[in-house]
Amino acid sequence: MHSDSILNMDITTLSLKIKNKEISPVEITECLLDRIKDINPALNAFITINEEAVKQAKIAEKEIMNNEYKGALHGIPIGVKDLVYTRNMKTTMGSKIYQHFTPDYDATVVEKLHHAGAITIGKLNTHEFAYGPSGDVSYYGAVKIRTIRRGFQEVRAVVLGQLFQLDYVMERLVQIQEDLFVYLHLHVAS
């Protein structure tokens, strides 16, 4: 499958295609690693790239091909905020103090994601010790944030909007907002 089409798919579509064996977790992971390599120098979104991501994807692919499908996250690459402990992968918390820290265990959330078959593709840059909302005060440099405006809507897109298509992200956020409004109107207001 062409990398542009992979980058234009949402997670639901990717998950369904993985489940139906129409696309490989290895193909998706390699595509995203290539995209990260191309644009991370400009974005500074990832502090660490998981050197084992393709190996994890091959394991997921083998499980899926052997009809051991674990669910919607099986074979899906994810980025983990660099505050969350990941076994044998640097966890800096955006700080010089922890620049060489490598935990020997996974945080519970990472453990559960891996149990569901997700692939950790890397560690996402963060405001030092998460002490701030913007991600622009990190020992590893600021995350380049892009503001998107459409009508009265405004969204600050960091990684997702840059790795995938900004228009798609904006459309989904608007749809989520509209769905939430309808839900609140129907279930809370009445």
Side-chain angles (χ1 to χ4, degrees):
M1 186 167 287
H2 195 268
S3 65
D4 285 343
S5 60
I6 291 172
L7 293 173
N8 284 316
M9 287 184 211
D10 60 61
I11 192 171
T12 304
T13 304
L14 285 172
S15 180
L16 187 58
K17 287 188 176 292
I18 289 170
K19 179 181 180 183
N20 294 331
K21 302 174 186 170
E22 297 171 23
I23 191 169
S24 160
V26 175
E27 189 176 2
I28 297 166
T29 301
E30 288 175 343
C31 176
L32 286 175
L33 287 170
D34 288 345
R35 182 73 169 143
I36 291 166
K37 187 175 110 183
D38 289 346
I39 67 171
N40 198 54
L43 283 180
N44 201 33
F46 284 86
I47 292 175
T48 304
I49 302 301
N50 183 7
E51 302 296 327
E52 300 288 314
V54 173
K55 181 180 174 185
Q56 289 177 4
K58 287 178 180 178
I59 292 168
E61 179 178 60
K62 183 178 178 184
E63 292 169 343
I64 292 162
M65 295 309 283
N66 288 331
N67 295 318
E68 298 169 13
Y69 182 70
K70 296 178 180 179
L73 290 176
H74 201 174
I76 298 291
I78 58 165
V80 177
K81 200 67 163 174
D82 196 37
L83 297 164
V84 182
Y85 279 29
T86 46
R87 180 185 11 235
N88 300 327
M89 193 183 323
K90 187 168 64 166
T91 300
T92 71
M93 296 172 236
S95 175
K96 179 179 181 178
I97 296 169
Y98 287 98
Q99 67 184 325
H100 302 295
F101 177 62
T102 304
D104 59 359
Y105 66 94
D106 285 329
T108 302
V109 66
V110 174
E111 209 172 81
K112 289 182 179 199
L113 286 165
H114 288 171
H115 183 72
I119 299 158
T120 303
I121 202 161
K123 300 297 287 282
L124 297 166
N125 201 348
T126 184
H127 206 81
E128 189 169 14
F129 300 113
Y131 196 68
S134 63
D136 61 354
V137 180
S138 168
Y139 173 70
Y140 300 92
V143 176
K144 309 305 186 286
I145 298 174
R146 183 167 173 193
T147 301
I148 311 162
R149 288 184 179 82
R150 182 175 291 157
F152 67 91
Q153 307 284 341
E154 179 174 304
V155 176
R156 293 180 64 171
V158 186
V159 178
L160 186 62
Q162 298 289 335
L163 286 176
F164 297 95
Q165 299 297 319
L166 290 173
D167 285 340
Y168 173 77
V169 171
M170 189 64 194
E171 288 168 19
R172 287 297 302 141
L173 288 170
V174 169
Q175 184 62 51
I176 289 167
Q177 181 181 12
E178 289 170 359
D179 291 348
L180 180 60
F181 176 76
V182 170
Y183 176 82
L184 290 173
H185 180 71
L186 292 175
H187 298 284
V188 177
S190 35

